[in-house]
Amino acid sequence: MTVVALTIAGSDSGGGAGIQADLKTFQELGVFGTSALTAVTAQNTRGVHGVYPIDAQGVTAQIRAVMDDFNVGAVKTGMLFSANIIQAVAETLQSYGPSALVIDPVMIAKGGASLLLDEAVQAMKELLIPLASVITPNIPEAEVLASMSIKSDSDVVEAANRLLKLGAKAVVMKGGHRRQANYAEDLFLSAAGERFTLRSEWIETKDTHGTGCTFSAAITAQIAQGKTIAESVITAKHFIQAAIADGLTLGGGHGPTNHWAYKRLGKTAGKDVVLID
Ligand SMILES: Nc1ncnc2c1ncn2[C@@H]1O[C@H](COP(=O)(O)OP(=O)(O)O)[C@@H](O)[C@H]1O
Ligand SMILES: Cc1ncc(COP(=O)(O)OP(=O)(O)O)c(N)n1
């Protein structure tokens, strides 16, 4: 049976992040990818040169077109840009009943461009996060959503707990903005009480464009195929580790990760991922 996943996100013309990263990841993990565009960005490895949002009605129509025709195993959201779009996405998904939902709360691109208006943060907290099977913030995003600064390990745990209180069933606090010695550590916490850290070797590279999109898309693909949230997060960490380890040096800025690496080079391309309870 062909498994279908839906990504609701922005387009990255440079192909490393956004909808393009999601669809490449779905494909590599054996899932048929569908999409609803929220915005078009004029973007490359050097930065974001323009943001052109789709109106909320258009976003709703795309989601409906997919949901009315396919049996969608899991949905992910990426760049949502405005409160109007967030409201449209939340209401439309709810009208189809509960489905597995991975929220990557995209706010700011690597070069500093804003991909979420300030006015949209409250809508994300109130309307969307309560629907999340899992939310995958990086540290700056978690600071905004949890309304606190994150400096220590205990801050990471406290912020994750605050996100669970907003209604998410699970949280992955990504460690790409908080290097720990030679490691990139992601903390998984669930409302059901599961907790573990995924530790991988830190890879010295500037080619990390789209890491968050690729990681959350890999989680979505796994959930769509019937894996538990925890199993999906573990596989996704292997996928992103391989994709960064064998990154593509394309363009003059932050090059994209390599979506082929996980299948071509083996689980982690020689870079281990360790699960710490
Ligand atoms: N230099 C790196 N080496 C190894 N893993 C990394 C590196 N940078 C990011 N990661 C991993 O990539 C994933 C995405 O994290 P992060 O970069 O924090 O997200 P975002 O792209 O949303 O800012 C996480 O699993 C994180 O641990
Ligand atoms: C269209 C679009 N969506 C999301 C992002 C952010 O992607 P992310 O994976 O967080 O990677 P970086 O931008 O931090 O490299 C984006 N840039 N564009």
Side-chain angles (χ1 to χ4, degrees):
M1 195 189 66
T2 304
V3 175
V4 179
L6 166 65
T7 168
I8 304 169
S11 165
D12 167 9
S13 51
I19 287 269
Q20 288 82 355
D22 295 344
L23 294 177
K24 289 172 194 178
T25 305
F26 289 169
Q27 182 83 11
E28 285 299 302
L29 288 171
V31 170
F32 183 83
T34 62
S35 61
L37 270 192
T38 56
V40 171
T41 70
Q43 187 175 174
N44 57 26
T45 64
R46 297 172 197 265
V48 176
H49 305 289
V51 173
Y52 308 92
I54 308 287
D55 69 77
Q57 260 187 322
V59 176
T60 298
Q62 294 174 77
I63 299 171
R64 288 206 177 286
V66 172
M67 298 295 266
D68 287 342
D69 201 29
F70 297 95
N71 182 12
V72 175
V75 179
K76 79 152 270 193
T77 62
M79 173 186 180
L80 294 174
F81 193 65
S82 69
N84 281 348
I85 294 177
I86 290 174
Q87 186 176 354
V89 168
E91 286 176 0
T92 310
L93 290 178
Q94 273 177 303
S95 75
Y96 287 92
S99 60
L101 177 63
V102 178
I103 296 179
D104 183 15
V106 171
M107 292 185 187
I108 295 175
K110 219 154 240 104
S114 175
L115 304 179
L116 185 77
L117 298 173
D118 290 346
E119 53 103 21
V121 170
Q122 205 51 31
M124 180 171 286
K125 287 167 76 167
E126 285 174 13
L127 304 178
L128 204 60
I129 293 179
L131 310 180
S133 309
V134 58
I135 178 169
T136 62
N138 63 26
I139 294 296
E141 291 158 355
E143 290 184 319
V144 171
L145 293 171
S147 309
M148 61 180 279
S149 76
I150 299 175
K151 300 270 179 271
S152 62
D153 289 352
S154 62
D155 290 340
V156 174
V157 175
E158 166 66 20
N161 276 313
R162 290 189 188 191
L163 297 183
L164 292 179
K165 283 207 183 93
L166 291 176
K169 290 189 190 64
V171 181
V172 184
M173 302 287 284
K174 296 178 298 193
H177 296 249
R178 192 168 172 269
R179 178 178 179 161
Q180 299 291 291
N182 285 331
Y183 304 113
E185 292 186 353
D186 302 345
L187 172 72
F188 177 84
L189 270 191
S190 79
E194 297 156 288
R195 175 176 170 166
F196 56 81
T197 296
L198 290 169
R199 170 184 282 178
S200 60
E201 192 179 313
W202 186 269
I203 299 157
E204 296 290 353
T205 175
K206 67 175 177 40
D207 298 329
T208 54
H209 178 47
T211 47
C213 301
T214 299
F215 178 66
S216 54
I219 296 172
T220 310
Q222 293 301 112
I223 295 173
Q225 292 178 94
K227 303 282 168 27
T228 66
I229 307 285
E231 287 167 343
S232 301
V233 169
I234 294 166
T235 301
K237 179 72 170 171
H238 285 281
F239 189 94
I240 191 62
Q241 182 71 355
I244 299 171
D246 197 40
L248 301 172
T249 308
L250 284 176
H254 293 287
T257 67
N258 184 349
H259 295 94
W260 296 301
Y262 178 76
K263 261 169 53 183
R264 212 164 56 183
L265 301 178
K267 241 179 158 185
T268 59
K271 309 276 187 182
D272 276 344
V273 173
V274 177
L275 191 149
I276 304 166
D277 285 320

